[in-house]
Amino acid sequence: MRITRITALGALAAVAALTLASCAGTGATAGADGPQPVPTTKGDGETLVVWAMEGDYQDATLEAINAAFTEQTGAEVDLQIQQWDGITTKISTALATSNPPDIIDIGNTQVPGYAANGGLLDLTNYEDDLKQGATWLAGLEDPARIDGSLYAVPGFAGARAVIYNTAMWADAGVTEVPTTHDELTAALDAVAAAHPEPDFAPFYLPGQYWQSSMQFVWDAGAEIATSEGGEWTGGFSTPEGIEGLEQFAEFQNTYSTGASATLDNITPDQNQIFADGKTSAILSTGGSIAGITKANPDITADQLGTFPLPGLSRQNQPAMLGGSVWGISAKSQHRDLALQWAKIAGSPETQKDYVFGVDGWIPNSTQAVEAAQASGLTPQQEGFFAAALNSKATPAAANWPTIEGDKSIAELFGAVASGSKSAEDAAKAMDEHLADVLNG
């Protein structure tokens, strides 16, 4: 998920600050029991192998991290940019070898699978020092924590927020950004009154776009699934889960098109629907800004506004957070050096000056997000950054990819939105499926 990058003047000058901020460790041995500072091992003559994914970070960001690391340790970095095609198999194979890459850039929801196979180093003992006083975003940290143990350092995030056509809303008399659910529905009612066309949706929300639909369930207080004693239990059939499904269906049925109940966001492309003027709002990632303006050049970025979706909970709905994290190979021959590199990559200085300042991503902590907000964001960025402060992610279960792959969770929301199943029946069936798969 890509958001517009921001250029930071003088960013490369921050390398020295990164180095100073990353020297707090005392040289403790990697793997020792109990809380430990990140080691300050020297690595003259050694080379750390780092895998980064194509498009995740700009060259300036990785060069700054590597320069600070070399200044601190004396070790060099062999940076290898990886392509997305076949990457899951490539990483799994590499982690199983006796000489894997030391640091790997992986998706936040991929951590449980690699950790369950013993491929990632347990970072729990170094957690406090790796955090460096920051509060990591829940949507990045939670999937990296399995049974209480930490297996990755958050790198950056991308969130979902409402994207709306400011001109269309203004024409309907709506000039203020909604901050409550009632204000949102009043705005959408006004837009609907101004656009009585039968194929127009005030808020296009396809039912099977579960990454967005799930926000209603979280807002009602339910989880996808929780683990206790190693046993996973689905949360859709709880009273809160059923309430969230019903609230989603009511909103979807009221403000989206009838045909969209069993559709996803790809077919048809919701960006194209927005670009064609068939809706005034969607819930999506920052990448939709570019998608909409490309599909219809007459719509410019300054005609698009963003805000987090207000919930019936009287708070912003929790947003599903995507992003990347840094994992250390369990079989790394340079664990102490890898810990130092990861600490620099996740540091507040790197997050402020590079992850946000150069790459334009949402940084990894609430403090870094708030600092970015204080420094000034574009109207297009504001909603995504605000949404990230209340975030969630998928369960930290090794078998979670099966749930996404079999599309059962997408079909759950589609069934409830279309009315082909009651919320109770759909939730019960989904929880049974979650138990079978996640505990398999």
Side-chain angles (χ1 to χ4, degrees):
M1 290 171 284
R2 178 64 61 187
I3 58 176
T4 304
R5 290 183 171 118
I6 304 172
T7 300
L9 297 177
L12 289 175
V15 171
L18 299 185
T19 303
L20 292 173
S22 304
C23 294
T26 60
T29 302
D33 292 333
Q36 299 287 325
V38 168
T40 55
T41 304
K42 288 294 184 180
D44 297 275
E46 300 291 336
T47 299
L48 193 75
V49 177
V50 176
W51 282 11
M53 295 306 303
E54 174 71 26
D56 272 5
Y57 298 90
Q58 291 199 45
D59 292 344
T61 297
L62 295 168
E63 289 168 2
I65 297 170
N66 292 342
F69 169 78
T70 298
E71 177 70 18
Q72 178 177 314
T73 66
E76 299 296 325
V77 177
D78 178 9
L79 176 64
Q80 300 177 14
I81 304 300
Q82 304 297 314
Q83 304 302 311
W84 289 98
D85 187 34
I87 190 58
T88 301
T89 300
K90 185 173 184 179
I91 291 176
S92 297
T93 301
L95 291 175
T97 67
S98 60
N99 189 28
D102 301 291
I103 300 273
I104 301 179
D105 171 20
I106 53 181
N108 60 326
T109 60
Q110 295 176 320
V111 175
Y114 297 132
N117 293 329
L120 298 178
L121 183 66
D122 187 339
L123 308 179
T124 310
N125 292 344
Y126 307 101
E127 179 179 339
D128 289 345
D129 200 16
L130 288 169
K131 285 186 172 179
Q132 300 166 79
T135 302
W136 286 337
L137 298 176
L140 292 177
E141 180 180 357
D142 290 352
R145 189 177 300 283
I146 294 88
D147 294 330
S149 297
L150 182 71
Y151 287 92
V153 174
F156 69 81
R160 286 173 176 80
V162 177
I163 302 171
Y164 72 105
N165 187 315
T166 57
M168 191 175 287
W169 281 35
D171 289 344
V174 182
T175 57
E176 298 293 330
V177 174
T179 59
T180 68
H181 185 78
D182 286 345
E183 290 175 357
L184 172 63
T185 56
L188 295 176
D189 289 341
V191 173
H195 291 272
E197 307 95 293
D199 60 345
F200 180 83
F203 194 121
Y204 185 75
L205 184 64
Q208 290 203 24
Y209 185 20
W210 68 270
Q211 295 92 336
S212 291
S213 307
M214 188 63 212
Q215 293 191 189
F216 290 82
V217 177
W218 281 328
D219 186 58
E223 299 291 341
I224 296 175
T226 55
S227 177
E228 184 174 353
E231 187 79 8
W232 287 95
T233 302
F236 289 104
S237 59
T238 63
E240 296 83 1
I242 293 171
E243 180 182 13
L245 288 171
E246 291 175 340
Q247 290 171 352
F248 152 72
E250 181 179 357
F251 184 89
Q252 199 279 338
N253 290 175
T254 302
Y255 296 110
S256 195
T257 60
S260 68
T262 56
L263 300 176
D264 60 24
N265 60 309
I266 299 172
T267 308
D269 181 3
Q270 67 175 2
N271 295 336
Q272 187 67 57
I273 291 173
F274 190 110
D276 290 341
K278 299 299 183 182
T279 186
S280 75
I282 59 174
L283 185 63
S284 191
T285 64
S288 283
I289 300 290
I292 291 166
T293 56
K294 181 179 179 181
N296 185 355
D298 290 336
I299 299 177
T300 59
D302 60 6
Q303 293 174 311
L304 302 175
T306 64
F307 58 88
L309 186 63
L312 285 163
S313 63
R314 298 187 179 181
Q315 297 180 353
N316 292 335
Q317 288 187 353
M320 180 168 290
L321 209 64
S324 283
V325 298
W326 296 107
I328 298 175
S329 302
K331 296 180 181 179
S332 168
Q333 303 301 306
H334 307 96
R335 289 185 178 184
D336 288 4
L337 293 174
L339 283 161
Q340 292 177 80
W341 194 96
K343 182 178 177 180
I344 295 169
S347 70
E349 292 75 20
T350 299
Q351 294 293 311
K352 172 181 176 290
D353 295 329
Y354 292 96
V355 171
F356 168 65
V358 172
D359 299 324
W361 286 117
I362 297 171
N364 67 2
S365 71
T366 58
Q367 292 86 350
V369 170
E370 290 167 352
Q373 291 173 319
S375 69
L377 300 172
T378 68
Q380 292 72 43
Q381 290 177 310
E382 288 173 353
F384 300 108
F385 278 63
L389 291 174
N390 185 17
S391 63
K392 294 274 193 179
T394 54
N399 291 338
W400 172 255
T402 300
I403 298 295
E404 290 194 34
D406 66 19
K407 299 184 178 180
S408 55
I409 192 167
E411 292 168 355
L412 160 72
F413 285 100
V416 175
S418 67
S420 65
K421 288 185 179 180
S422 68
E424 292 86 348
D425 290 345
K428 179 181 178 182
M430 186 66 207
D431 281 353
E432 291 174 353
H433 183 56
L434 283 165
D436 289 342
V437 172
L438 300 187
N439 296 317

